[in-house]
Amino acid sequence: MQYRRCGRSGLKLPAISLGLWQNFGADRPIAVQRQIVHRAFDLGITHFDLANNYGPPYGAAEENFGRILASGLGKHRDELVGYDMWPGPYGEWGSRKYLLASLDQSLKRMGVDYVDIFYSHRFDPDTPLEETMGTLHSAVHQGKALYVGISSYSARRTQDAAAILGGLGTRLLIHQPSYSMLNRWIEDDLLRVLAEEGVGCIVFSPLAQGLLTDRYLNGVPAGARASHPGSFSTELLTDANLDKVRALHGIAQQRGQTLAQMAIAWTLRNPAVTSALVGASSVPQLEQNVAALEKLEFSADELGEIDRYATESGINLWAASSAG
């Protein structure tokens, strides 16, 4: 595993982190979940991303991860970074009451005393930013979080958040935006702001909700996320998008990688990106994703060819939060 420094902080994160958004709810055997988490740790993944609305039902992923910690992984607590709580039933709201209550509930579900990174997952247009950032600062001051981060904030609001936190004496450690070859919004201004502020960047959905895999090259297979209502919209599977995916798949084959591996490696090509957050439904899938690190280099010709097809594709489900 490669480790990258998170902005100008002293913290290093693995180049690939594991998210528990999918596959860690009450509908999946805990034994399989334990195998995935343990294998991830063995592969050097020391950063795990959780949220209070991960399931199903809400809270289930935290409870299951707490069970995995209690059954043995907990003895490695000092070797782990994670437990990133995204506030709100849909990760949107930022009031002081909700954030701190949410954090307390998450700590209880997981059976831990503190989290490493506490996130404001989305900008809340109805709550003053000073209140939301002040609450993140309070979590650190109370010893319930070591660091704080934000997710899906625009470049301008990221600057404002960093300034507010800095004035309170708490550094903004990290920003977690969506980013993939089909969703490149962070390249316009956000990466520049993060570099200027010394803030790390962990990108989520580098596989574009699974679109940047070989799964949909020939339609929607049974059991895929797109076959389940509410998990992945089939509206994303347009002819134009699938043409791009097939072309990118061909480039990946020429590189000796799967499309998923190339997609992950591509997000890590920029040194401003600290880590790529991936999911996994099985140990083999996890291992295949981590194998992306075996070939991170891209030639200028490869990047130019990728740019022909790696264009905005209307798949950013979080665009409203990062606007303005």
Side-chain angles (χ1 to χ4, degrees), residues 22-30 33 55-57 60 64:
Q22 306 283 338
N23 307 306
F24 287 85
D27 56 342
R28 298 295 301 276
I30 186 67
Q33 298 180 33
N64 286 336

Side-chain angles (χ1 to χ4, degrees), residues 77-248:
R77 178 64 179 94
D78 290 341
E79 301 173 58
L80 300 174
V81 177
Y83 324 118
D84 311 343
M85 260 51 65
W86 293 359
Y90 300 101
E92 294 179 340
W93 312 127
S95 72
R96 178 179 177 85
K97 176 178 173 58
Y98 187 84
L99 283 170
L100 292 183
S102 169
L103 176 56
D104 287 340
Q105 293 165 15
S106 294
L107 294 175
K108 183 177 181 180
R109 278 193 292 267
M110 291 185 296
V112 296
D113 297 324
Y114 68 94
V115 299
D116 292 288
I117 307 173
F118 184 43
Y119 280 93
S120 167
H121 178 41
R122 294 182 186 174
F123 176 77
D124 181 355
D126 297 321
T127 300
L129 189 59
E130 289 79 5
E131 179 177 343
T132 302
M133 294 303 106
T135 305
L136 297 185
H137 166 72
S138 292
V140 174
H141 184 70
Q142 294 172 13
K144 296 178 180 179
L146 300 183
Y147 303 98
V148 297
I150 58 177
S151 178
S152 298
Y153 276 50
S154 69
R156 178 176 63 84
R157 287 168 177 158
T158 296
Q159 286 180 308
D160 293 342
I164 294 169
L165 284 168
L168 295 171
T170 296
R171 169 182 287 276
L172 176 60
L173 174 78
I174 195 166
H175 189 297
Q176 186 175 134
S178 62
Y179 181 54
S180 72
M181 290 191 289
L182 302 180
N183 174 22
R184 302 179 62 167
W185 71 276
I186 70 173
E187 296 175 355
D188 293 335
D189 294 301
L190 183 59
L191 287 180
R192 173 185 56 79
V193 168
L194 296 182
E196 291 173 353
E197 298 289 344
V199 176
C201 179
I202 176 171
V203 299
F204 73 91
S205 202
L207 303 184
Q209 293 96 267
L211 189 56
L212 288 170
T213 67
D214 58 6
R215 194 171 305 158
Y216 302 110
L217 296 177
N218 300 302
V220 181
R225 285 177 60 188
S227 65
H228 302 295
S231 180
F232 179 98
S233 175
T234 55
E235 295 178 0
L236 302 180
L237 301 175
T238 64
D239 289 340
N241 282 351
L242 290 176
D243 285 344
K244 295 177 186 179
V245 169
R246 293 186 185 104
L248 292 168

